Amino acid sequence: GVTLYPEDRSDADTLLRHADQAMYRAKQRGRDCVQLFDAGVEQSLQAKQELLRRLAQALEEHEFVLHYQPKVDMLQRRPIGVEALVRWQHPERGVLAPGEFLPAIEGSELEMGLGDWVIRSALEQIDSWRESGLDPPVAVNVSARHLLKPGFVRSLRDPLAQPPAITPDRLDT
């Protein structure tokens, strides 16, 4: 790991830390290489870590909501279900579209946690609608990584079997 002085205008301790950070990035790339410390990359990594921390907090504090978009058979001109769409109800920025936060969670454990929350919330909505006389199938989007997670089918089967049981055809993943 390499950092350059005077370009990296830091004190000696910070220069060593920057070189150390560059060394770890070099190791992540497969060793046997040189990695130059880049303050822009470092700021980007720190921003992503902060966003992941904030997203974990948002999940814990129930800031995510599902919006339901009708699915329509255009040939028969009739509704055939709904699709659950996750949104972040940010306390300061308002409702945020998935493009503003989903890319940050790709490959993280938070990806699984949010996917599980979406499924649980959709099942609760299915049950609520059923109690009021509605029974649309609900499509949810989960990541491919989540679908391939060991135990994924069991994690769906268990909540579907809980009273009042929801038939599997009401949930589409």
Side-chain angles (χ1 to χ4, degrees):
V2 177
T3 189
L4 301 174
Y5 182 84
E7 289 84 359
D8 187 354
R9 300 170 191 258
S10 302
D11 58 64
D13 287 339
T14 305
L15 284 170
L16 286 172
R17 186 172 45 83
H18 289 173
D20 198 42
Q21 289 168 340
M23 176 193 65
Y24 283 112
R25 276 197 296 286
K27 286 181 178 181
Q28 288 173 341
R29 291 177 50 206
R31 300 181 183 262
D32 296 329
C33 67
V34 174
Q35 178 69 48
L36 184 63
F37 176 79
D38 183 335
V41 168
E42 187 63 27
Q43 287 173 338
S44 176
L45 289 172
Q46 286 177 356
K48 182 176 180 178
Q49 288 302 316
E50 174 56 24
L51 179 57
L52 280 171
R53 185 201 65 74
R54 182 61 188 92
L55 287 164
Q57 178 185 0
L59 186 58
E60 188 176 298
E61 295 181 2
H62 310 287
E63 293 177 7
F64 290 104
V65 295
L66 290 181
H67 291 196
Y68 294 90
Q69 176 176 296
K71 292 171 60 177
V72 178
D73 180 329
M74 296 302 285
L75 294 174
Q76 296 183 15
R77 296 182 181 186
R78 65 176 186 88
I80 57 172
V82 296
E83 181 178 7
L85 305 171
V86 67
R87 300 292 186 262
W88 181 7
Q89 182 63 54
H90 193 283
E92 294 153 7
R93 297 176 55 203
V95 178
L96 301 181
E100 295 191 55
F101 58 90
L102 286 183
I105 68 170
E106 273 184 37
S108 73
E109 282 304 309
L110 190 55
E111 181 178 29
M112 306 299 178
L114 184 60
D116 289 339
W117 176 85
V118 166
I119 291 167
R120 279 192 318 274
S121 298
L123 289 171
E124 289 170 8
Q125 186 62 60
I126 290 169
D127 189 46
S128 175
W129 279 334
R130 191 172 56 189
E131 287 178 5
S132 64
L134 299 172
D135 194 25
V138 177
V140 295
N141 296 307
V142 293
S143 70
R145 185 171 175 250
H146 197 175
L147 286 171
L148 296 172
K149 178 183 174 185
F152 176 76
V153 172
R154 186 178 64 254
S155 74
L156 275 182
R157 190 179 313 129
D158 293 344
L160 285 169
Q162 298 298 316
I166 296 171
T167 59
D169 67 329
R170 298 294 87 192
L171 184 68
D172 183 19
T173 56

